[in-house]
Amino acid sequence: MPKRFFVKSYGCQMNVYDSARMGDLLRSGGHVETSDPAKADIVILNTCHIRERATEKIFSELGRVREIKSERAAQGHKTQIVVAGCVAQAEGAEIVARQAAVDIVVGPQAYHQLPALLERGNSLPTVALDLAAADKFAQLPLPERADIRARGVCAFVTVQEGCDKFCAFCVVPYTRGTEISRPVSAVFSEIENLVASGVREVTLIGQNVNAYHGVGPDGRTWTLGRLLSRVAKVTGVKRLRYTTSHPLDMDDELIEAHRDVPALMPYLHLPVQSGSDRILARMNRRHDVKAYLRIIDKIRKSRPDIALSSDFIVGFPGETDENFEATLALVREVGFASSFSFKYSARPGTPSAQATDQIDDQVKSERLAILQELLEEQRQAFNQATVGRELDVLFEKPGRHPGQIVGKSPYLQAVHVERRVATIGDLCPVLITSAGPNSLAGRLVEGKAAA
Ligand code: SAH
Ligand code: SF4
Ligand code: F3S
């Protein structure tokens, strides 16, 4: 019998992608998506475990969903609650112990089993946590044209999943499992399907995407650099991006792709986490500050207009004032267009959670505020510097005011154009006329096609 399902996604872009794939899977079985959990026969929370607060959010949300379930039960409707994603993988059966209303716990590599798990009914909670990602992809249906269109002109495609880096603070290697790469042919068919339905920009995603080493049609192992060049040629996609990368896997082929592949956008998210060699070593990042700066230098030589972004953690165990100052110094030296920064959160099962020199929360908050002020200054300066420049904008959606249309610059900045002279999906040159705190405004350069 067709059912209504509701999916809510937390955490990173891969969860957004996975949620979409779960949706495709359920729709292919005749089920229908709803945006109202109170009307759903199946409620799926696709969860994130990266920091303590992310996990806690899930348990409070589960409390709310449980109430919906009992209200619906009073009206004679059955509701199945599914916990998917990284909390599912990390906490497994404990979730059911903590929240008895949960029917199914399914890990990030097992969600292709969802239809069978739902079918089985729910006299007892079911926990599916196998960790072989390759099987999952082979069993997922490609999305339908109408569903792709509904999601817009920008899409994510997972090409790599899992991580073997084992940074001392991070749960991802345990929740996503060991690193795998999808075969080139699978990536091509997914992107061709998206492009045929109007997608203009594709972001290749992976927990550690530049460790990509998928099997090519020639039987050889392809790097991400090679994959990006061929995807640009074969599929005709207008814009390409990739995220997230680890500095150690930034090889020459990838750096050269930034010079040689016009569709590859001049924007690179390359997390460094800390500017202190001592902390980087304790984080098990396996590179020092000098190595990071060397990579940045190479990338800038290859693509001089590249914009950079990073993730930072403050208050990692043992971080001194001096170590924190070194992070600020690195930020000043590199200059970032945009960044994410977090207070260190001790995660169960990770090596650094056991460290005896944990940093006081007050100190973490102070450091975070100082770092965020500097990063925000740099972001605003970067945005201001685009005023007066002509940037290609890919239009994605209508703006808030009538007639307004919004898109993205090559540097991921939101750009508003007042007069609706372009259509969604158009890639047009725009003269940037002003920079607000969170977006740019501009006007279309008439009579000129985007480069
Ligand atoms: N390589 C991954 C990183 C995932 S986590 C990716 O591709 O996205 C994203 C960011 O969260 C990390 O770069 C790190 O800055 C932050 N993070 C991870 N574990 C953390 C922890 N225990 N406490 C605080 N921040 C953390
Ligand atoms: Fe986590 Fe490090 Fe792997 Fe990124 S590279 S997912 S931070 S272990
Ligand atoms: Fe969170 Fe898992 Fe992504 S822990 S950040 S949802 S890989």
Short mmCIF file of all heavy atoms in Angstrom, two decimals, residues 12-14 48-52 160 162-163 165 167-172 205-209 243-246 269-274 283 285 310-314 316 340-348 350 352 364, ligand 1:
data_model
loop_
_atom_site.label_atom_id
_atom_site.label_comp_id
_atom_site.label_asym_id
_atom_site.label_seq_id
_atom_site.Cartn_x
_atom_site.Cartn_y
_atom_site.Cartn_z
N CYS A 12 25.89 17.11 7.14
CA CYS A 12 26.63 17.56 5.95
C CYS A 12 25.86 17.33 4.66
O CYS A 12 24.77 16.76 4.64
CB CYS A 12 27.97 16.84 5.90
SG CYS A 12 27.81 15.06 5.72
N GLN A 13 26.49 17.74 3.55
CA GLN A 13 25.86 17.62 2.24
C GLN A 13 25.65 16.17 1.85
O GLN A 13 24.73 15.86 1.10
CB GLN A 13 26.75 18.31 1.20
CG GLN A 13 26.74 19.80 1.38
CD GLN A 13 27.93 20.48 0.72
OE1 GLN A 13 28.93 19.86 0.44
NE2 GLN A 13 27.79 21.76 0.49
N MET A 14 26.47 15.29 2.39
CA MET A 14 26.26 13.89 2.03
C MET A 14 24.94 13.38 2.62
O MET A 14 24.27 12.55 2.01
CB MET A 14 27.41 13.00 2.47
CG MET A 14 27.33 11.67 1.75
SD MET A 14 28.73 10.62 1.98
CE MET A 14 29.94 11.40 0.98
N CYS A 48 23.17 13.34 12.18
CA CYS A 48 24.59 13.69 12.20
C CYS A 48 25.15 13.52 13.61
O CYS A 48 24.50 13.86 14.59
CB CYS A 48 24.76 15.13 11.74
SG CYS A 48 26.45 15.73 11.87
N HIS A 49 26.37 13.00 13.68
CA HIS A 49 26.98 12.65 14.96
C HIS A 49 28.25 13.47 15.23
O HIS A 49 28.97 13.22 16.19
CB HIS A 49 27.33 11.15 14.90
CG HIS A 49 27.67 10.51 16.20
ND1 HIS A 49 26.84 10.52 17.29
CD2 HIS A 49 28.77 9.84 16.60
CE1 HIS A 49 27.40 9.86 18.29
NE2 HIS A 49 28.59 9.45 17.91
N ILE A 50 28.52 14.45 14.39
CA ILE A 50 29.85 15.06 14.36
C ILE A 50 30.24 15.76 15.66
O ILE A 50 31.38 15.66 16.11
CB ILE A 50 30.01 16.01 13.13
CG1 ILE A 50 31.47 16.22 12.80
CG2 ILE A 50 29.31 17.34 13.30
CD1 ILE A 50 32.12 15.10 12.07
N ARG A 51 29.28 16.49 16.25
CA ARG A 51 29.53 17.14 17.55
C ARG A 51 28.40 16.79 18.51
O ARG A 51 27.32 16.40 18.08
CB ARG A 51 29.63 18.68 17.37
CG ARG A 51 30.97 19.13 16.78
CD ARG A 51 30.95 20.56 16.33
NE ARG A 51 30.12 20.73 15.15
CZ ARG A 51 30.56 20.55 13.90
NH1 ARG A 51 31.80 20.22 13.66
NH2 ARG A 51 29.74 20.71 12.87
N GLU A 52 28.66 16.96 19.79
CA GLU A 52 27.69 16.55 20.80
C GLU A 52 26.33 17.19 20.55
O GLU A 52 25.29 16.55 20.63
CB GLU A 52 28.20 16.92 22.19
CG GLU A 52 27.40 16.30 23.30
CD GLU A 52 27.95 16.69 24.67
OE1 GLU A 52 29.04 17.29 24.72
OE2 GLU A 52 27.28 16.39 25.67
N GLN A 160 32.71 9.45 -3.56
CA GLN A 160 33.61 8.77 -2.62
C GLN A 160 32.91 8.81 -1.27
O GLN A 160 32.19 9.76 -0.97
CB GLN A 160 34.93 9.56 -2.58
CG GLN A 160 36.01 9.06 -1.67
CD GLN A 160 35.82 9.50 -0.23
OE1 GLN A 160 35.08 10.42 0.10
NE2 GLN A 160 36.51 8.82 0.66
N GLY A 162 33.23 7.52 3.10
CA GLY A 162 34.04 6.93 4.16
C GLY A 162 35.38 7.61 4.25
O GLY A 162 35.73 8.46 3.42
N CYS A 163 36.15 7.26 5.28
CA CYS A 163 37.42 7.93 5.48
C CYS A 163 38.39 7.01 6.23
O CYS A 163 38.00 6.33 7.17
CB CYS A 163 37.20 9.21 6.29
SG CYS A 163 38.70 10.15 6.47
N LYS A 165 41.39 8.37 7.28
CA LYS A 165 42.39 9.28 7.83
C LYS A 165 42.46 9.22 9.37
O LYS A 165 43.49 9.51 9.94
CB LYS A 165 42.10 10.72 7.39
CG LYS A 165 42.34 10.98 5.91
CD LYS A 165 43.83 11.12 5.63
CE LYS A 165 44.13 11.61 4.23
NZ LYS A 165 43.90 10.59 3.19
N CYS A 167 41.48 11.24 11.88
CA CYS A 167 41.85 12.41 12.68
C CYS A 167 41.38 12.11 14.11
O CYS A 167 40.30 11.52 14.30
CB CYS A 167 41.17 13.66 12.15
SG CYS A 167 41.64 14.02 10.45
N ALA A 168 42.18 12.54 15.09
CA ALA A 168 41.95 12.07 16.46
C ALA A 168 40.62 12.52 17.07
O ALA A 168 40.14 11.93 18.04
CB ALA A 168 43.11 12.53 17.34
N PHE A 169 40.01 13.56 16.47
CA PHE A 169 38.78 14.12 17.05
C PHE A 169 37.52 13.61 16.38
O PHE A 169 36.42 13.88 16.84
CB PHE A 169 38.81 15.66 16.91
CG PHE A 169 39.12 16.11 15.49
CD1 PHE A 169 38.14 16.15 14.51
CD2 PHE A 169 40.41 16.49 15.14
CE1 PHE A 169 38.44 16.54 13.21
CE2 PHE A 169 40.72 16.89 13.84
CZ PHE A 169 39.73 16.92 12.88
N CYS A 170 37.64 12.85 15.30
CA CYS A 170 36.53 12.73 14.34
C CYS A 170 35.84 11.36 14.36
O CYS A 170 36.49 10.32 14.37
CB CYS A 170 37.06 13.02 12.95
SG CYS A 170 35.80 13.01 11.68
N VAL A 171 34.50 11.39 14.30
CA VAL A 171 33.73 10.13 14.32
C VAL A 171 33.51 9.54 12.93
O VAL A 171 33.09 8.39 12.80
CB VAL A 171 32.33 10.35 14.96
CG1 VAL A 171 32.44 10.71 16.42
CG2 VAL A 171 31.52 11.40 14.19
N VAL A 172 33.78 10.33 11.88
CA VAL A 172 33.38 9.91 10.54
C VAL A 172 33.94 8.54 10.11
O VAL A 172 33.20 7.72 9.55
CB VAL A 172 33.70 11.03 9.50
CG1 VAL A 172 33.51 10.54 8.07
CG2 VAL A 172 32.82 12.24 9.76
N ILE A 205 30.82 15.00 -4.19
CA ILE A 205 31.06 15.02 -2.75
C ILE A 205 31.64 13.70 -2.25
O ILE A 205 31.45 12.63 -2.84
CB ILE A 205 29.79 15.39 -1.94
CG1 ILE A 205 28.63 14.44 -2.22
CG2 ILE A 205 29.36 16.82 -2.21
CD1 ILE A 205 27.42 14.67 -1.31
N GLY A 206 32.36 13.83 -1.14
CA GLY A 206 32.94 12.69 -0.44
C GLY A 206 33.45 13.19 0.89
O GLY A 206 33.78 14.38 1.01
N GLN A 207 33.52 12.33 1.88
CA GLN A 207 34.08 12.75 3.17
C GLN A 207 35.51 13.22 2.96
O GLN A 207 36.00 14.10 3.63
CB GLN A 207 34.09 11.61 4.19
CG GLN A 207 32.88 11.62 5.09
CD GLN A 207 31.73 10.92 4.40
OE1 GLN A 207 31.89 9.89 3.78
NE2 GLN A 207 30.54 11.49 4.53
N ASN A 208 36.16 12.57 2.00
CA ASN A 208 37.54 12.92 1.68
C ASN A 208 37.66 12.75 0.17
O ASN A 208 38.28 11.83 -0.32
CB ASN A 208 38.45 11.96 2.45
CG ASN A 208 39.87 12.40 2.38
OD1 ASN A 208 40.17 13.49 1.90
ND2 ASN A 208 40.74 11.55 2.84
N VAL A 209 37.02 13.67 -0.53
CA VAL A 209 36.71 13.46 -1.96
C VAL A 209 37.97 13.38 -2.82
O VAL A 209 37.99 12.68 -3.83
CB VAL A 209 35.73 14.54 -2.46
CG1 VAL A 209 36.38 15.90 -2.59
CG2 VAL A 209 35.09 14.14 -3.78
N THR A 243 33.91 18.65 -2.89
CA THR A 243 34.12 18.90 -1.47
C THR A 243 33.86 17.62 -0.70
O THR A 243 33.03 16.83 -1.16
CB THR A 243 33.20 20.05 -1.01
OG1 THR A 243 33.69 20.59 0.19
CG2 THR A 243 31.76 19.61 -0.82
N THR A 244 34.56 17.33 0.40
CA THR A 244 35.60 18.10 1.05
C THR A 244 36.94 17.42 0.88
O THR A 244 37.00 16.19 0.88
CB THR A 244 35.31 18.19 2.56
OG1 THR A 244 34.10 18.89 2.76
CG2 THR A 244 36.39 18.92 3.29
N SER A 245 38.00 18.17 0.83
CA SER A 245 39.30 17.62 0.53
C SER A 245 40.20 17.62 1.74
O SER A 245 40.05 18.44 2.65
CB SER A 245 39.96 18.49 -0.55
OG SER A 245 39.17 18.46 -1.70
N HIS A 246 41.16 16.70 1.72
CA HIS A 246 42.19 16.68 2.76
C HIS A 246 43.50 17.16 2.12
O HIS A 246 43.82 16.74 1.00
CB HIS A 246 42.35 15.26 3.30
CG HIS A 246 43.22 15.16 4.51
ND1 HIS A 246 44.59 15.34 4.45
CD2 HIS A 246 42.92 14.97 5.82
CE1 HIS A 246 45.09 15.22 5.69
NE2 HIS A 246 44.10 15.01 6.52
N HIS A 269 37.51 24.26 -0.84
CA HIS A 269 37.36 24.09 0.61
C HIS A 269 38.42 23.09 1.05
O HIS A 269 38.32 21.90 0.73
CB HIS A 269 35.94 23.59 0.91
CG HIS A 269 35.67 23.42 2.37
ND1 HIS A 269 35.73 24.47 3.26
CD2 HIS A 269 35.35 22.34 3.10
CE1 HIS A 269 35.46 24.03 4.48
NE2 HIS A 269 35.22 22.73 4.41
N LEU A 270 39.42 23.58 1.75
CA LEU A 270 40.54 22.72 2.15
C LEU A 270 40.79 22.90 3.65
O LEU A 270 41.60 23.75 4.06
CB LEU A 270 41.79 23.08 1.33
CG LEU A 270 42.93 22.08 1.41
CD1 LEU A 270 42.53 20.73 0.82
CD2 LEU A 270 44.17 22.61 0.67
N PRO A 271 40.09 22.10 4.46
CA PRO A 271 40.18 22.28 5.91
C PRO A 271 41.60 22.10 6.45
O PRO A 271 42.29 21.15 6.07
CB PRO A 271 39.26 21.19 6.46
CG PRO A 271 38.29 20.92 5.38
CD PRO A 271 39.08 21.08 4.11
N VAL A 272 42.02 23.02 7.32
CA VAL A 272 43.34 22.91 7.94
C VAL A 272 43.20 22.62 9.45
O VAL A 272 44.12 22.08 10.05
CB VAL A 272 44.19 24.16 7.65
CG1 VAL A 272 43.61 25.40 8.30
CG2 VAL A 272 45.63 23.97 8.09
N GLN A 273 42.09 23.00 10.04
CA GLN A 273 41.75 22.73 11.46
C GLN A 273 42.53 23.57 12.46
O GLN A 273 41.95 24.09 13.41
CB GLN A 273 41.89 21.24 11.83
CG GLN A 273 41.29 20.24 10.86
CD GLN A 273 39.79 20.32 10.68
OE1 GLN A 273 39.11 21.08 11.37
NE2 GLN A 273 39.24 19.57 9.76
N SER A 274 43.85 23.68 12.29
CA SER A 274 44.65 24.44 13.25
C SER A 274 45.90 24.98 12.55
O SER A 274 46.35 24.41 11.56
CB SER A 274 45.06 23.53 14.41
OG SER A 274 46.08 24.15 15.19
N MET A 283 46.30 16.09 16.46
CA MET A 283 45.05 15.80 15.75
C MET A 283 45.22 14.64 14.76
O MET A 283 44.26 14.23 14.12
CB MET A 283 44.58 17.03 14.95
CG MET A 283 43.98 18.13 15.78
SD MET A 283 43.61 19.53 14.66
CE MET A 283 42.48 20.47 15.71
N ARG A 285 46.64 14.90 11.86
CA ARG A 285 46.33 15.40 10.52
C ARG A 285 47.40 15.00 9.50
O ARG A 285 47.20 15.12 8.30
CB ARG A 285 46.16 16.93 10.55
CG ARG A 285 44.91 17.38 11.29
CD ARG A 285 43.65 17.06 10.55
NE ARG A 285 43.50 17.84 9.33
CZ ARG A 285 42.47 17.73 8.50
NH1 ARG A 285 41.50 16.86 8.74
NH2 ARG A 285 42.40 18.47 7.42
N SER A 310 38.03 27.03 4.71
CA SER A 310 38.58 26.00 5.59
C SER A 310 37.63 25.74 6.76
O SER A 310 36.69 26.49 6.99
CB SER A 310 39.93 26.48 6.12
OG SER A 310 40.44 25.57 7.07
N ASP A 311 37.90 24.65 7.45
CA ASP A 311 37.26 24.38 8.75
C ASP A 311 38.33 24.55 9.82
O ASP A 311 39.50 24.22 9.59
CB ASP A 311 36.76 22.93 8.85
CG ASP A 311 35.63 22.62 7.89
OD1 ASP A 311 34.98 23.55 7.40
OD2 ASP A 311 35.42 21.42 7.62
N PHE A 312 37.90 25.02 10.99
CA PHE A 312 38.82 25.18 12.12
C PHE A 312 38.19 24.60 13.38
O PHE A 312 36.98 24.72 13.58
CB PHE A 312 39.12 26.66 12.39
CG PHE A 312 39.83 27.32 11.25
CD1 PHE A 312 39.11 27.97 10.26
CD2 PHE A 312 41.21 27.30 11.15
CE1 PHE A 312 39.75 28.59 9.19
CE2 PHE A 312 41.87 27.91 10.09
CZ PHE A 312 41.14 28.55 9.11
N ILE A 313 39.02 24.01 14.21
CA ILE A 313 38.57 23.58 15.53
C ILE A 313 39.38 24.36 16.57
O ILE A 313 40.61 24.38 16.49
CB ILE A 313 38.81 22.07 15.74
CG1 ILE A 313 37.92 21.27 14.77
CG2 ILE A 313 38.52 21.66 17.18
CD1 ILE A 313 38.14 19.76 14.82
N VAL A 314 38.70 25.01 17.51
CA VAL A 314 39.43 25.67 18.60
C VAL A 314 39.22 24.87 19.89
O VAL A 314 38.20 24.20 20.07
CB VAL A 314 38.97 27.13 18.84
CG1 VAL A 314 39.18 27.97 17.59
CG2 VAL A 314 37.52 27.19 19.30
N PHE A 316 41.04 22.31 20.99
CA PHE A 316 41.42 20.90 20.97
C PHE A 316 42.25 20.62 22.24
O PHE A 316 42.96 21.51 22.71
CB PHE A 316 42.25 20.61 19.71
CG PHE A 316 42.59 19.16 19.51
CD1 PHE A 316 41.69 18.29 18.96
CD2 PHE A 316 43.83 18.69 19.92
CE1 PHE A 316 42.00 16.94 18.80
CE2 PHE A 316 44.16 17.34 19.77
CZ PHE A 316 43.23 16.47 19.21
N PHE A 340 34.28 27.65 8.17
CA PHE A 340 33.50 27.14 9.29
C PHE A 340 34.43 26.96 10.46
O PHE A 340 35.56 26.48 10.30
CB PHE A 340 32.87 25.80 8.94
CG PHE A 340 31.93 25.87 7.78
CD1 PHE A 340 32.35 25.52 6.50
CD2 PHE A 340 30.63 26.32 7.95
CE1 PHE A 340 31.50 25.60 5.41
CE2 PHE A 340 29.76 26.40 6.87
CZ PHE A 340 30.19 26.04 5.60
N SER A 341 33.96 27.31 11.66
CA SER A 341 34.82 27.11 12.83
C SER A 341 33.98 26.60 13.99
O SER A 341 32.81 26.98 14.15
CB SER A 341 35.52 28.42 13.19
OG SER A 341 34.62 29.49 13.15
N PHE A 342 34.58 25.72 14.77
CA PHE A 342 33.83 25.00 15.81
C PHE A 342 34.64 24.93 17.09
O PHE A 342 35.87 24.86 17.06
CB PHE A 342 33.55 23.56 15.35
CG PHE A 342 33.02 23.45 13.97
CD1 PHE A 342 33.86 23.15 12.90
CD2 PHE A 342 31.68 23.65 13.70
CE1 PHE A 342 33.38 23.04 11.60
CE2 PHE A 342 31.18 23.55 12.41
CZ PHE A 342 32.04 23.24 11.35
N LYS A 343 33.91 24.84 18.21
CA LYS A 343 34.56 24.47 19.47
C LYS A 343 34.79 22.97 19.44
O LYS A 343 33.89 22.21 19.02
CB LYS A 343 33.64 24.78 20.65
CG LYS A 343 33.49 26.25 20.95
CD LYS A 343 32.98 26.43 22.37
CE LYS A 343 31.47 26.61 22.38
NZ LYS A 343 30.95 26.89 23.72
N TYR A 344 35.93 22.52 19.91
CA TYR A 344 36.19 21.09 19.97
C TYR A 344 35.12 20.41 20.83
O TYR A 344 34.77 20.88 21.92
CB TYR A 344 37.59 20.83 20.57
CG TYR A 344 37.79 19.37 20.90
CD1 TYR A 344 37.96 18.44 19.89
CD2 TYR A 344 37.76 18.93 22.22
CE1 TYR A 344 38.11 17.10 20.19
CE2 TYR A 344 37.90 17.59 22.53
CZ TYR A 344 38.07 16.68 21.50
OH TYR A 344 38.20 15.35 21.80
N SER A 345 34.61 19.29 20.33
CA SER A 345 33.61 18.52 21.06
C SER A 345 34.16 17.10 21.22
O SER A 345 34.51 16.44 20.23
CB SER A 345 32.31 18.52 20.23
OG SER A 345 31.38 17.61 20.73
N ALA A 346 34.28 16.65 22.45
CA ALA A 346 34.86 15.32 22.71
C ALA A 346 33.84 14.26 22.33
O ALA A 346 32.75 14.21 22.91
CB ALA A 346 35.24 15.18 24.17
N ARG A 347 34.16 13.43 21.35
CA ARG A 347 33.20 12.43 20.86
C ARG A 347 33.57 11.04 21.36
O ARG A 347 34.74 10.62 21.26
CB ARG A 347 33.15 12.44 19.32
CG ARG A 347 32.90 13.78 18.71
CD ARG A 347 31.62 14.45 19.21
NE ARG A 347 30.41 13.82 18.74
CZ ARG A 347 29.39 13.45 19.54
NH1 ARG A 347 29.46 13.62 20.83
NH2 ARG A 347 28.32 12.90 19.02
N PRO A 348 32.55 10.32 21.85
CA PRO A 348 32.83 8.99 22.38
C PRO A 348 33.50 8.10 21.34
O PRO A 348 33.12 8.13 20.16
CB PRO A 348 31.43 8.45 22.72
CG PRO A 348 30.43 9.43 22.23
CD PRO A 348 31.15 10.70 21.93
N THR A 350 36.51 8.33 20.11
CA THR A 350 37.63 8.93 19.38
C THR A 350 38.82 9.08 20.32
O THR A 350 38.63 9.31 21.52
CB THR A 350 37.27 10.31 18.81
OG1 THR A 350 36.93 11.18 19.90
CG2 THR A 350 36.10 10.23 17.85
N SER A 352 41.04 11.45 20.93
CA SER A 352 41.28 12.69 21.69
C SER A 352 40.25 12.91 22.80
O SER A 352 40.45 13.76 23.67
CB SER A 352 41.35 13.90 20.76
OG SER A 352 40.15 14.05 20.07
N LYS A 364 37.28 27.94 25.29
CA LYS A 364 36.90 27.58 23.91
C LYS A 364 36.01 28.68 23.31
O LYS A 364 36.21 29.08 22.17
CB LYS A 364 36.11 26.27 23.90
CG LYS A 364 36.93 25.02 24.11
CD LYS A 364 36.01 23.81 23.91
CE LYS A 364 36.52 22.59 24.61
NZ LYS A 364 35.56 21.48 24.63
N1 SAH B 1 36.53 15.59 5.99
C1 SAH B 1 35.19 15.80 6.43
C2 SAH B 1 35.05 16.46 7.72
C3 SAH B 1 33.71 16.20 8.25
S1 SAH B 1 33.44 17.01 9.63
C4 SAH B 1 34.34 16.38 5.40
O1 SAH B 1 34.55 16.09 4.29
O2 SAH B 1 33.39 17.11 5.60
C5 SAH B 1 33.46 18.71 9.16
C6 SAH B 1 34.24 19.51 10.12
O3 SAH B 1 33.72 19.35 11.43
C7 SAH B 1 35.69 19.11 10.26
O4 SAH B 1 36.49 19.62 9.23
C8 SAH B 1 36.05 19.67 11.59
O5 SAH B 1 36.45 21.01 11.50
C9 SAH B 1 34.73 19.62 12.36
N2 SAH B 1 34.74 18.56 13.38
C10 SAH B 1 34.88 17.24 13.21
N3 SAH B 1 34.90 16.61 14.40
C11 SAH B 1 34.79 17.56 15.35
C12 SAH B 1 34.77 17.54 16.77
N4 SAH B 1 34.89 16.41 17.45
N5 SAH B 1 34.62 18.72 17.42
C13 SAH B 1 34.51 19.88 16.72
N6 SAH B 1 34.53 19.95 15.40
C14 SAH B 1 34.67 18.81 14.70
#
